[in-house]
Amino acid sequence: MVRSADSGQTNGAGTSRAHRKADSRPRSRTVRAERLAPYILLAPSVLIIVALRLWPLLLGVNFSFTGDGKDNGTAVGWANYLELFEDPLFRGALGNVGLLVLLLPVAVAVPGLLATFIYLRVPGHRVYRSVYFFPAVLSPVIVGAIFNLMLAFDGPLNAVLAAIGLGPVDWLGDPGVAKFTVVGVHIWATFGMALVVFLAGFASLNPSLLDAARVDGASLRQSIWHVIIPSLTRTIQFVFVTTMIGMLTSMFGLLYVMTSGGPEGSTYLPEYYIWIQQGQMNRPALASAASTVLFLIMLVVGLLQISVLRRAGRED
């Protein structure tokens, strides 16, 4: 009887272990499936990025080391890059990139301040809210045509300046003025999207921080500098990077309509230079080299901006 009882206990323990093993298998499969789920969901996006972005990028970089014309498909090493940096038009385009970097804080501050006025409901905020997105719905061709009429030497803006005793300005014909004119028009035409991003960032701002600043007697400038900017660091980082990319890659239509790269090549940007070499000069390999340089510039500038803004956020 004792043996049979012991054997019964043994059989019962073995059965329970078998049940636990059977139960653990579905659980382990569930855990494994949960771990794999994010990768499975991301796989289509990753494949699309690799197929439509990274692979063409690598092909373009490889193509930039080949020749044009009679040397088409022949490896020429760094010859295209040497030709680029010997071309005064491309060097001028790179100089204009430096100008864009210097003007970038203005391009970010304009929508940031307007979003702040809307959020704080300062006098006139309803006007800002009703008209801020209007320029963003216009195509660059339409914007360029409108400002070509307004900024013509005998246009309405110079007529207003003449009426108040100021001489006319050659907004689009003076090389020293035209580049600032085009950038200013681009900022006006595109600040609406950045303003929407800032308004979304304000949704995550803790209102009690602003209330505490008001109680302590902080002015609007102090509230912006010590409360709003530190709280929106990530939003500002995003707007800085996307605005810079937009300036480098989305000004072609405006340049083409307003100045066509002139006067004297003063408004050339790498994007416009690439189009000239590819579409008019039939130099695809040289255009690929210029595209590679533009990509590296955007990468370096974006990383530097993120690094500087993160450091500033830690200090605050």
Side-chain angles (χ1 to χ4, degrees), residues 104-129 132 187 191-192 194-199 202 219-226 228-229 232 235-236 239-240:
L104 183 61
V106 178
V108 175
V110 169
L113 285 174
L114 290 177
T116 302
F117 295 158
I118 292 173
Y119 179 78
L120 297 178
R121 297 185 178 182
V122 301
H125 73 277
R126 296 184 185 278
V127 177
Y128 306 144
R129 184 181 292 276
Y132 71 83
I187 292 173
F191 80 88
L195 193 145
V196 171
V197 175
F198 273 116
L199 290 177
F202 273 109
S219 63
L220 176 61
R221 183 187 64 82
Q222 291 172 328
S223 298
I224 293 174
W225 187 255
H226 295 289
I228 293 177
I229 292 179
L232 299 182
T235 302
I236 295 172
V239 174
F240 256 94

Side-chain angles (χ1 to χ4, degrees), residues 170-220:
D170 195 357
W171 298 101
L172 301 176
D174 186 340
V177 177
K179 61 180 72 176
F180 292 97
T181 301
V182 174
V183 174
V185 173
H186 176 77
I187 292 173
W188 177 86
T190 59
F191 80 88
M193 294 299 298
L195 193 145
V196 171
V197 175
F198 273 116
L199 290 177
F202 273 109
S204 63
L205 180 64
N206 188 354
S208 61
L209 296 176
L210 286 173
D211 293 337
R214 292 193 190 98
V215 171
D216 291 339
S219 63
L220 176 61

Side-chain angles (χ1 to χ4, degrees), residues 240-256:
F240 256 94
V241 174
T242 54
T243 301
M244 188 66 209
I245 292 174
M247 282 180 150
L248 291 175
T249 62
S250 302
M251 289 184 62
F252 173 81
L254 205 60
L255 283 174
Y256 184 82

